[in-house]
Amino acid sequence: MEFPAYRPRRLRRTDTLRSMVRETSLDARDLIYPLFVKAGEGLRDEVTSMPGVFQITLDQLPGEIDELKELGIPAVILFGLPESKDEAGSGAFAEDGIVQQAIRAIKAHDPEYYVITDVCMCEYTSHGHCGALDAHGCVMNDVTLEMLAATALSHAEAGADMVAPSDMMDGRVAAIRVALDAEGYTEVPIMSYAAKYASAYYGPFRDAADSTPAFGDRRAYQMDPANTEEAMREVALDIAEGADLVMVKPALAYMDVIRRVKDEFGYPTAAYNVSGEYAMVKAAAERGWIDERRVVLETLVSMRRAGADLVITYHAKDAARWLQEN
Ligand code: PBG
Ligand code: ZN
């Protein structure tokens, strides 16, 4: 149909009409909130490069969970800051590790609240890489698989509802699935960071999680930002190994990848709206250069439009509040 018979503006005239024909929804239920947990008491330390994001101690978790529930945000993803780090990253799979304690604290407060855990070694290794190093400082794939499987299993034992490996080792989804199943955790889903790029947008997170590599970078295990065919192979591999949900990370500069993953695999798909994306919005908003509320809601609905079923985002609480007001 053509103008003047077809006038697209006809359906844009009022709020009611616009909402009746809206194609994409954004709801607090689609959001996952990252939490950074550390030892100590009574602390909420704001991350300098991420205003509004805090490293919190275990005692803060019940209040945090109550607030998230109130806002309708169904799940958290946990990151831990251990008291000490070592070459082997043993804090990642310790029974009384910080994440394991955090899971128990949340579950003691509310057994129903959904707890996802990030599974990786970089917050726990003294060198800050995502696995065990060989003599040349290269991350050894197959040795690391055992550490990741042990970590995921220890999270499940502590009560985690879902595990999310973010390390980008080859074969880690299968290794984790086998380890979980062997101990009876057949119902714990794996959300794999399937297409995870070696991105400069993780900068602020590494302050938040204290996980900056002591030397080098992660380009020998995370993906080249120039590649999408490779992302398809990564996702196919993770699905073949048993991933229940797949993630694309970062989100904003990789919307095409989110769309392709959703179209080609039709799997539950998550997008990680990462720390650098958050920091840019916050910095511009602080200067009054952008309208934070509108930019955030537009960004999140765009990720949903690109094909993400779920969005992991530091904006979750603000967005949920704004959506309640709308
Ligand atoms: C750990 C991990 C990282 C992020 C999530 N899990 C950092 C990294 O890979 O360097 C990044 C999250 C963000 O930037 O918000 N491997
Ligand atoms: Zn890592």
Side-chain angles (χ1 to χ4, degrees), residues 96-171:
D96 62 346
I98 187 68
V99 165
Q100 290 79 357
Q101 290 186 58
I103 299 163
R104 288 194 196 94
I106 295 172
K107 291 296 178 181
H109 177 67
D110 182 352
E112 298 300 315
Y113 199 77
Y114 204 84
V115 177
I116 306 169
T117 57
D118 181 90
V119 175
C120 202
M121 303 308 297
C122 53
E123 292 129 62
Y124 306 91
T125 50
S126 42
H127 46 72
H129 277 287
C130 300
L133 299 182
D134 68 13
H136 311 287
C138 181
V139 175
M140 296 184 283
N141 194 86
D142 298 14
V143 176
T144 301
L145 294 183
E146 290 168 37
M147 300 155 84
L148 295 165
T151 301
L153 181 58
S154 74
H155 292 172
E157 282 168 349
D161 295 295
M162 182 188 286
V163 294
S166 68
D167 51 283
M168 289 302 278
M169 297 303 120
D170 298 329

Side-chain angles (χ1 to χ4, degrees), residues 79 118 120 122-123 130 166 193 196 201-202 205-206 218 222 249 272 274-275 314:
F79 296 93
D118 181 90
C120 202
C122 53
E123 292 129 62
C130 300
S166 68
Y193 287 67
K196 176 171 177 178
Y201 285 98
Y202 307 152
F205 172 94
R206 293 176 187 173
R218 305 207 201 290
Q222 298 179 349
K249 177 187 173 197
Y272 201 137
V274 301
S275 57
Y314 306 99

Side-chain angles (χ1 to χ4, degrees), residues 271-284:
Y272 201 137
N273 176 211
V274 301
S275 57
E277 299 170 7
Y278 176 86
M280 292 194 302
V281 170
K282 284 291 184 185

Side-chain angles (χ1 to χ4, degrees), residues 28-320:
R29 267 179 311 218
D30 312 322
L31 307 177
I32 298 170
Y33 190 62
L35 282 180
F36 299 96
V37 188
K38 65 176 172 187
E41 234 193 276
L43 300 177
R44 299 185 69 82
D45 294 332
E46 194 164 23
V47 180
T48 314
S49 52
M50 301 176 74
V53 172
F54 300 83
Q55 299 174 341
I56 60 173
T57 47
L58 295 168
D59 55 281
Q60 304 291 306
L61 287 169
E64 196 72 29
I65 297 306
D66 288 343
E67 187 186 357
L68 291 164
K69 268 171 52 181
E70 191 71 28
L71 291 167
I73 298 164
V76 288
I77 182 163
L78 298 180
F79 296 93
L81 291 110
E83 275 185 285
S84 64
K85 307 185 189 231
D86 57 31
E87 191 81 14
S90 57
F93 42 85
E95 203 200 319
D96 62 346
I98 187 68
V99 165
Q100 290 79 357
Q101 290 186 58
I103 299 163
R104 288 194 196 94
I106 295 172
K107 291 296 178 181
H109 177 67
D110 182 352
E112 298 300 315
Y113 199 77
Y114 204 84
V115 177
I116 306 169
T117 57
D118 181 90
V119 175
C120 202
M121 303 308 297
C122 53
E123 292 129 62
Y124 306 91
T125 50
S126 42
H127 46 72
H129 277 287
C130 300
L133 299 182
D134 68 13
H136 311 287
C138 181
V139 175
M140 296 184 283
N141 194 86
D142 298 14
V143 176
T144 301
L145 294 183
E146 290 168 37
M147 300 155 84
L148 295 165
T151 301
L153 181 58
S154 74
H155 292 172
E157 282 168 349
D161 295 295
M162 182 188 286
V163 294
S166 68
D167 51 283
M168 289 302 278
M169 297 303 120
D170 298 329
R172 91 271 211 213
V173 173
I176 290 171
R177 187 71 272 161
V178 166
L180 291 177
D181 288 357
E183 296 301 321
Y185 297 102
T186 54
E187 300 305 314
V188 173
I190 300 174
M191 173 165 65
S192 74
Y193 287 67
K196 176 171 177 178
Y197 289 87
S199 174
Y201 285 98
Y202 307 152
F205 172 94
R206 293 176 187 173
D207 294 338
D210 186 26
S211 63
T212 308
F215 62 88
D217 55 44
R218 305 207 201 290
R219 284 182 294 177
Y221 40 103
Q222 298 179 349
M223 284 182 51
D224 183 334
N227 298 353
T228 43
E229 295 302 340
E230 186 190 5
M232 299 305 111
R233 294 196 295 275
E234 278 283 6
V235 172
L237 207 52
D238 284 5
I239 288 174
E241 290 179 26
D244 300 281
L245 304 90
V246 291
M247 194 198 301
V248 175
K249 177 187 173 197
L252 215 38
Y254 299 85
M255 298 289 228
D256 57 320
V257 182
I258 298 172
R259 170 46 58 199
R260 262 194 88 180
V261 167
K262 190 64 193 174
D263 285 348
E264 290 194 22
F265 300 96
Y267 255 61
T269 302
Y272 201 137
N273 176 211
V274 301
S275 57
E277 299 170 7
Y278 176 86
M280 292 194 302
V281 170
K282 284 291 184 185
E286 256 173 28
R287 293 176 184 207
W289 290 352
I290 56 167
D291 178 334
E292 181 179 0
R293 174 178 172 145
R294 293 189 53 206
V295 165
V296 167
L297 293 178
E298 181 178 335
T299 303
L300 296 177
V301 86
S302 304
M303 290 167 188
R304 295 261 307 135
R305 193 194 64 233
D309 300 293
L310 296 166
V311 182
I312 301 170
T313 179
Y314 306 99
H315 295 294
K317 286 185 189 176
D318 289 334

